[in-house]
């Protein structure tokens, strides 16, 4: 089912639900955000991703940041490639602006297509655990994809589809300005940094995208299929924490 006209409001409520919010105050006050194990922002130059215009006091940054909101609107109206014909919803990505980390996956699956949110299915649940293990919450990072519409049957997006969508991602990255990017899986790695090594060889390596360090690692969906690779993904995420100057979780 396509989103109704008030899709942004529904997406916003979905976002709050995803963050564990069960009651939305009608007074306009900021709802409490659960932050189990959340790492507090370290410096004043590393703000929590809660800023929103007074007109929309608790809107998440991906909806309240003008540039990002207008890119999302362009994506919603995009018919540049065949994926538009079969999508239910576009999935521009969601999360913080100016985060420490931006995660980039391949493209929406069935759950993401249904909800218009990135990484909300089984792979997303594992990604949430990976983010938590790093000491962050989902709302403290940005989560997006190479392509913004679901490829039918979850097939890999074609090079043309990826190339057609890349300008949106580039513009998002320019606004989001993450300290680091983590590419999840071979498609993200190919799409963002044109790396042709197989992911098993490329993982753990750093690249750059427009001056931003990029860590290459496995896609959570692959880790669900082959749990023996989780330890390598964790090594990669620890390298990210080290590069950010963050302490490693206790016991590591
Ligand atoms: N896999 C992806 O690459 N992206 C999503 O948003 C969900 C699953």
């Amino acid at each position: 089912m396509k989103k109704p006209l008030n899709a942004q409001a529904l997406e916003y409520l979905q976002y709050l639900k995803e963050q564990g919010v069960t009651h939305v105050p009608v007074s306009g006050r900021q709802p409490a955000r659960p932050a189990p194990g959340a790492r507090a922002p370290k410096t004043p130059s590393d703000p929590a991703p809660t800023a929103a215009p007074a007109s929309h006091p608790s809107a998440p940054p991906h909806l309240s940041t003008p540039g990002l909101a207008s890119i999302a609107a362009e994506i919603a109206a995009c018919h540049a490639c065949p994926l538009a014909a079969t999508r239910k919803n576009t999935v521009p990505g969601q999360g913080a602006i100016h985060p420490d980390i931006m995660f980039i996956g391949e493209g929406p699956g069935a759950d993401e297509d249904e909800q218009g949110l990135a990484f909300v299915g089984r792979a997303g649940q594992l990604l949430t655990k990976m983010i938590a293990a790093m000491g962050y919450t989902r709302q403290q990072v940005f989560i997006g994809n190479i392509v913004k519409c679901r490829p039918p049957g979850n097939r890999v997006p074609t090079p043309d589809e990826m190339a057609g969508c890349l300008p949106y991602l580039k513009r998002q990255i320019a606004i989001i300005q993450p300290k680091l990017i983590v590419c999840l899986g071979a498609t993200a790695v190919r799409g963002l940094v044109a790396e042709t090594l197989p992911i098993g060889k490329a993982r753990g390596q750093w690249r750059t995208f427009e001056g931003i360090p990029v860590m290459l690692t496995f896609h959570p969906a692959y880790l669900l299929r082959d749990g023996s690779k989780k330890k390598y993904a964790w090594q990669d995420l620890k390298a990210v924490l080290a590069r950010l100057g963050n302490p490693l979780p206790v016991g590591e």
Side-chain angles (χ1 to χ4, degrees):
M1 198 184 11
K2 299 250 181 210
K3 279 185 184 174
L5 280 179
N6 61 350
Q8 279 214 344
L10 288 176
E11 184 184 343
Y12 172 46
L13 290 171
Q14 178 61 43
Y15 171 86
L16 292 179
K17 188 174 159 201
E18 188 189 322
Q19 309 310 327
V21 174
T22 53
H23 294 86
V24 178
V26 292
S27 64
R29 285 187 15 239
Q30 182 96 5
R33 287 170 182 271
R39 167 175 286 126
K42 294 179 295 302
T43 67
S45 64
D46 184 16
T50 52
S55 58
H56 203 331
S58 47
H62 66 278
L63 296 180
S64 62
T65 303
L68 281 187
S70 70
I71 294 169
E74 282 179 52
I75 292 169
C78 181
H79 285 82
C81 84
L83 299 184
T86 50
R87 74 181 177 218
K88 289 183 180 168
N89 289 296
T90 51
V91 182
Q94 73 277 352
I97 57 164
H98 304 163
D100 283 358
I101 311 167
M102 177 172 182
F103 291 90
I104 299 178
E106 175 175 309
D111 295 302
E112 292 76 18
D113 186 41
E114 199 64 51
Q115 298 183 38
L117 291 167
F119 278 99
V120 289
R122 278 188 71 228
Q125 286 163 20
L126 179 55
L127 179 61
T128 304
K129 287 184 189 161
M130 292 157 70
I131 291 168
M134 297 174 80
Y136 291 85
T137 62
R138 280 176 69 108
Q139 69 267 39
Q140 287 178 310
V141 301
F142 196 95
I143 304 173
N145 280 306
I146 293 288
V147 295
K148 316 300 189 192
C149 300
R150 182 190 182 200
N154 297 343
R155 66 162 171 75
V156 175
T158 66
D160 278 354
E161 289 160 356
M162 292 198 276
C165 230
L166 191 60
Y168 292 128
L169 184 58
K170 281 188 173 186
R171 287 166 57 203
Q172 288 177 312
I173 291 171
I175 294 168
I176 294 163
Q177 292 180 20
K179 287 184 186 162
L180 277 172
I181 292 172
V182 176
C183 271
L184 300 166
T187 303
V189 161
R190 262 198 309 279
L192 193 73
V193 295
E195 176 59 63
T196 52
L197 277 178
I199 189 65
K201 294 228 158 37
R203 66 138 284 270
Q205 298 192 32
W206 289 100
R207 298 287 183 271
T208 56
F209 179 80
E210 299 189 346
I212 302 169
V214 179
M215 168 54 78
L216 317 181
T217 194
F218 291 122
H219 192 287
Y222 178 70
L223 299 175
L224 286 173
R225 292 195 298 275
D226 183 354
S228 72
K229 299 293 190 304
K230 284 185 182 172
K231 58 178 178 286
Y232 301 111
W234 182 229
Q235 275 176 17
D236 304 341
L237 299 182
K238 284 193 293 183
V240 165
L241 292 176
R243 183 128 184 188
L244 287 167
N246 289 354
L248 291 181
V250 176
E252 292 294 336

